[in-house]
């Protein structure tokens, strides 16, 4: 989604009407689940943003399965549903049924400062999902890039778009793969799908925007473009439309389960 706030490059002040969210509480929430499951491991990677120390979370579930998936959320700090969906998926242990087929890596909150301050950008006013081909990427992006040095078969990135009345997704896949439409088909029962021919200024078909694969067509790279260049054959950037938070969460959970089921 695009900012509703004034379009200043160094937007630092949180909206006064919104209480700060504590990223440390999110870490404790994830730590609690991981402590109860022998299949789960939590890595914490410290960094400092705007004078405060945060810990990136990297959760790894299972080991030795034939395929590897990366689930990520919160690269835009004001898009809560993805973060919440990954936490709920973890807390419900819904992932266990996939562990015979998938090793799962989760990055539940990629922009801790933005999460706490309810902003799309990080503490330096940078949109992290525009920085993956930057010559000096922000530390949050460098962290994701380090994770993407490992091989993955699938990447699911959870976002939200308050400007959209329904769910849609960006598909970055090898030619011939048509996973996006099959994921979207399973969303209809939870929330409307955005069936517009143009979404976010791009051509769409049935709620799916196909990302061009040639690097030259992007002046800036989102995470999915970088992942594709690293060899991930399929990335879906999932955008929950404007709706109550729990509806967005349920739609994201359905998309995760569908994608993992289809690709097993
Ligand atoms: Zn987003």
């Amino acid at each position: 989604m695009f900012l509703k706030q004034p379009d200043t490059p160094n937007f630092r002040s949180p909206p006064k009407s919104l209480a700060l969210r504590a990223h440390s509480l999110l870490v404790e929430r994830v730590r609690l689940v991981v402590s109860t499951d022998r299949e789960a491991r939590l890595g914490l990677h410290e960094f400092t943003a705007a004078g405060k120390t945060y810990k990136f979370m990297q959760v790894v579930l299972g080991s030795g399965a034939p395929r590897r998936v990366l689930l990520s959320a919160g690269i835009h700090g004001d898009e809560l549903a993805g973060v919440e969906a990954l936490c709920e998926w973890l807390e419900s242990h819904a992932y266990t049924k996939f562990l015979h087929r998938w090793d799962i890596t989760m990055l539940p909150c990629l922009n801790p400062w933005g999460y706490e301050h309810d902003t799309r950008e990080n503490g330096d006013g940078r949109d992290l999902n525009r920085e993956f081909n930057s010559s000096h990427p922000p530390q949050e992006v460098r962290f994701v890039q380090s994770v993407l040095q490992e091989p993955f078969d699938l990447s699911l990135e959870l976002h939200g778009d308050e400007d959209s009345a329904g769910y849609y997704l960006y598909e970055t896949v090898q030619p011939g793969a048509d996973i996006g439409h099959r994921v979207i088909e399973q969303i209809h029962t939870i929330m409307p799908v955005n069936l517009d021919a143009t979404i976010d200024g791009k051509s769409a078909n049935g709620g799916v925007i196909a990302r061009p694969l040639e690097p030259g067509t992007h002046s800036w790279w989102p995470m999915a473009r970088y992942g594709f260049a690293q060899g991930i054959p399929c990335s879906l950037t999932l955008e929950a439309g404007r709706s109550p938070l729990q509806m967005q969460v349920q739609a994201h959970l359905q998309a995760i389960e569908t994608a993992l089921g289809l690709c097993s």
Side-chain angles (χ1 to χ4, degrees):
M1 59 164 283
F2 289 107
L3 262 184
K4 301 292 193 305
Q5 306 297 335
D7 192 20
T8 52
N10 288 303
F11 177 69
R12 284 172 176 276
S13 302
K16 289 187 173 61
S17 59
L18 291 168
L20 289 178
R21 294 181 287 252
H23 182 258
S24 58
L25 294 179
L26 202 60
V27 173
E28 287 313 307
R29 188 174 165 190
V30 170
R31 196 200 300 268
L32 184 64
V33 179
V34 169
S35 69
T36 63
D37 188 343
R38 278 190 213 162
E39 297 276 6
R41 299 172 304 285
L42 172 62
L44 295 171
H45 309 266
E46 276 195 7
F47 77 105
T48 302
K52 182 173 174 182
T53 300
Y54 293 94
K55 293 182 173 111
F56 286 123
M57 291 182 279
Q58 180 178 3
V59 181
V60 178
L61 305 166
S63 64
R67 313 195 77 189
R68 302 189 73 230
V69 61
L70 179 65
L71 306 176
S72 64
I75 198 166
H76 292 141
D78 57 350
E79 298 170 10
L80 271 190
V83 176
E84 184 61 26
L86 290 189
C87 286
E88 291 192 17
W89 200 61
L90 197 57
E91 289 167 334
S92 70
H93 297 274
Y95 56 87
T96 55
K97 61 182 174 290
F98 295 110
L99 292 182
H100 69 295
R101 293 291 300 163
W102 290 99
D103 278 358
I104 300 166
T105 297
M106 294 174 62
L107 306 175
C109 186
L110 290 175
N111 181 0
W113 191 95
Y115 172 82
E116 287 201 334
H117 294 79
D118 196 35
T119 61
R120 177 182 178 90
E121 293 86 355
N122 73 351
D124 295 323
R126 295 168 81 174
D127 183 334
L128 302 176
N129 212 25
R130 302 286 183 275
E131 297 278 356
F132 278 79
N133 61 341
S134 166
S135 54
H136 296 92
Q139 54 197 337
E140 295 94 333
V141 170
R142 291 201 303 274
F143 169 66
V144 178
Q145 289 173 330
S146 72
V147 174
L148 287 171
Q149 301 311 302
E150 304 169 24
F152 289 97
D153 301 287
L154 174 66
S155 175
L156 304 177
E157 303 167 17
L158 278 54
H159 287 252
D161 185 348
E162 287 285 319
D163 290 337
S164 172
Y167 205 92
Y168 67 95
L169 60 84
Y170 292 85
E171 186 181 57
T172 311
V173 299
Q174 296 282 7
D178 185 27
I179 179 175
H181 285 106
R182 289 187 285 167
V183 169
I184 285 287
E185 277 169 18
Q186 301 304 314
I187 300 295
H188 284 282
T189 56
I190 298 170
M191 77 157 56
V193 169
N194 186 336
L195 297 174
D196 294 349
T198 303
I199 303 174
D200 202 15
K202 298 161 195 79
S203 261
N205 175 0
V208 175
I209 301 170
R211 266 210 177 95
L213 299 180
E214 300 77 26
T217 59
H218 274 92
S219 56
W220 49 264
W221 284 18
M223 178 178 163
R225 172 68 247 169
Y226 183 88
F228 190 80
Q230 290 300 113
I232 302 179
C234 179
S235 293
L236 301 181
T237 306
L238 303 160
E239 300 275 1
R242 183 174 59 249
S243 54
L245 179 65
Q246 260 311 313
M247 186 182 288
Q248 296 182 46
V249 169
Q250 291 307 313
H252 276 327
L253 291 173
Q254 181 66 57
I256 292 170
E257 299 255 330
T258 302
L260 291 183
L262 283 172
C263 297
S264 289

